[in-house]
Every structure is written in C-alpha cells, then in structure tokens.
Amino acid sequence: MMLEKQYFNLMQFFEGYVRNYRRMNLSHLHNRSMFTKREIDYFANLGEMLGFDVFIEDSKFDKLKGRSRPMDLSWWKWDARIDDENFLYLALHLYKCNLEIQPPYNIGSFG
C-alpha cells in the first residue's frame, strides 16, 4: 500500500503567514536572527498541526551532488502502517538565507 503524496496550496500557507505575522510580535528593535527564529517557529508549528514530523536544522543527502543539503526546517511524512522504519517523503523544506543589503552609496556621509 503506497500513500499518495500530498500537494499543498502554497498560496493558502502564504495568506495565513501574512495574516498572522503581527502575532510574531517583531519590531525594529529585533535583529535578523530573531526574525528568522520566529518565522521558522511559525512554520514548525504549522507543520506539526498538519501532522508532519518537523525538524529544525535538518539535512538531507543529495545523491546527485554527493553531499548533504542543509535545511533550516523540514516537514517529513511518516506512517508506521506503510513503513515503520523510514519516512515516506519530504513534504516541505525551508532554507532561509540572511543577506546583507548593501546600498550602492554611503548614506551617512554628506559633504
């Protein structure tokens, strides 16, 4: 018996994320790390509510590249009725990269 993979309506996830963003209680006083942590926690909670096994700071071996692929967050589907030793599939993974935004000029120096 093979479980058919679920397909998500990602727009529905995005709409919920935008509507609930204020509940993360973030402001200009928080640094990027806090924004990232709260955003990852939001999707970790969502994945658990949807019935997935959720892992933060996970990795998955990429056979084509011959190395592990880092993931800040992953949702794995597991069902002991089908396979009690292995996850059935990776449902979602998130890798968030914080990039420094460099302006093309120095805003702080005026003549």
Side-chain angles (χ1 to χ4, degrees):
M1 180 172 142
M2 182 66 177
L3 181 68
E4 192 171 316
K5 184 175 178 178
Q6 294 177 313
Y7 291 93
F8 300 116
N9 179 347
L10 296 179
M11 197 61 187
Q12 191 173 21
F13 287 177
F14 178 73
E15 287 173 3
Y17 173 71
V18 169
R19 288 182 182 159
N20 286 286
Y21 200 85
R22 67 179 176 81
R23 293 184 184 168
M24 288 188 224
N25 204 21
L26 294 165
S27 73
H28 70 283
L29 300 173
H30 292 92
N31 61 24
R32 287 189 197 124
S33 296
M34 184 56 74
F35 274 79
T36 300
K37 181 192 179 319
R38 297 243 177 109
E39 291 166 347
I40 289 172
D41 287 346
Y42 172 85
F43 284 100
N45 290 331
L46 178 61
E48 288 172 350
M49 288 187 275
L50 292 172
F52 293 98
D53 287 310
V54 175
F55 298 93
I56 295 175
E57 297 294 326
D58 197 11
S59 65
K60 180 177 189 257
F61 189 73
D62 188 335
K63 293 178 184 175
L64 295 175
K65 294 182 179 176
R67 60 180 168 85
S68 290
R69 179 177 66 199
M71 296 180 276
D72 289 328
L73 172 80
S74 60
W75 294 357
W76 293 89
K77 185 62 178 172
W78 182 75
D79 190 336
R81 296 170 297 178
I82 297 170
D83 187 339
D84 62 352
E85 293 184 22
N86 300 299
F87 288 103
L88 301 178
Y89 57 86
L90 174 64
L92 180 133
H93 74 91
L94 172 80
Y95 179 75
K96 181 167 173 135
C97 181
N98 286 331
L99 297 175
E100 292 280 331
I101 299 173
Q102 299 294 327
Y105 50 87
N106 187 350
I107 295 173
S109 60
F110 295 101

